[in-house]
Amino acid sequence: MSNVIKRELWQTFLGIPDAGGTNFDYEAIGEDNDTLTEELNANVSKTKNVLGKNSTAVDGYSPSMSVSPYKADKGTKTFAFLKGIADGLKTHGDCETHVIDVDLFAEPESSEYPAIKKDVIVEVKSLGGNTDAFQIPYELHYTNVNEKGKFNPTTKKFTKTL
């Protein structure tokens, strides 16, 4: 038996805020993508001292995820959220939300899977696309504010763990 984890068992859900920005609905990211990767973008510094020895250190990360294409589906809350950012040329807090990475390959407890909630800034890259579909590709810029918890993919409820 293979221990290889299928990609579909690690899912990312985008938090779609309500009008007040306090309650969130969640929709899975990646329906239009055959590749979807959180790039960690490590900040690596390398120095060489006077003795000729090399020193390498990782002193931080600036994670991001590019979601392209995103074929607009007017029946989703993701579409309304992204189109609202683009139409209003929104900035700062109006582009803030979070994603939840869910380990569906782990053993669930009461239908909840291990998850990490990560704060992100959404950057809408463009509007339009080719004849295939109206597209709104976007970039997620992670703020490195994370909370461990559990997520139920059926009820779409996140519970922070201590």
Side-chain angles (χ1 to χ4, degrees):
M1 185 175 349
S2 174
N3 289 320
V4 174
I5 299 169
K6 292 183 177 185
R7 175 59 175 90
E8 65 200 44
L9 296 178
W10 186 71
Q11 292 186 9
T12 301
F13 291 81
L14 181 64
I16 311 297
D18 64 6
T22 54
N23 296 309
F24 292 85
D25 286 320
Y26 296 96
E27 292 182 341
I29 296 172
E31 187 169 320
D32 302 320
N33 309 105
D34 57 10
T35 300
L36 192 63
T37 303
E38 179 182 334
E39 299 293 342
L40 298 181
N41 302 315
N43 187 27
V44 179
S45 61
K46 296 180 180 184
T47 58
K48 187 172 187 175
N49 67 22
V50 295
L51 302 174
K53 295 181 181 177
N54 293 320
S55 174
T56 303
V58 174
D59 61 12
Y61 295 88
S62 296
S64 64
M65 180 185 287
S66 189
V67 183
S68 181
Y70 170 74
K71 296 176 183 176
D73 179 346
K74 65 181 179 179
T76 66
K77 292 184 179 189
T78 298
F79 164 73
F81 179 60
L82 296 174
K83 187 78 164 57
I85 290 172
D87 287 350
L89 299 176
K90 293 182 179 178
T91 59
H92 304 294
D94 293 333
C95 300
E96 294 176 3
T97 188
H98 58 269
V99 296
I100 299 176
D101 289 334
V102 184
D103 296 342
L104 295 172
F105 52 84
E107 194 64 38
E109 294 178 23
S110 301
S111 300
E112 293 181 319
Y113 293 84
I116 300 177
K117 180 178 169 183
K118 302 175 179 181
D119 288 354
V120 296
I121 307 295
V122 179
E123 173 196 2
V124 173
K125 304 291 278 180
S126 63
L127 297 172
N130 56 31
T131 57
D132 185 39
F134 177 61
Q135 297 182 29
I136 310 174
Y138 61 98
E139 186 93 13
L140 299 173
H141 300 277
Y142 293 72
T143 67
N144 295 337
V145 175
N146 301 337
E147 288 181 308
K148 288 187 176 185
K150 298 199 176 282
F151 187 78
N152 183 320
T154 303
T155 63
K156 305 228 173 31
K157 182 175 181 341
F158 177 81
T159 305
K160 181 180 174 179
T161 56
L162 303 176

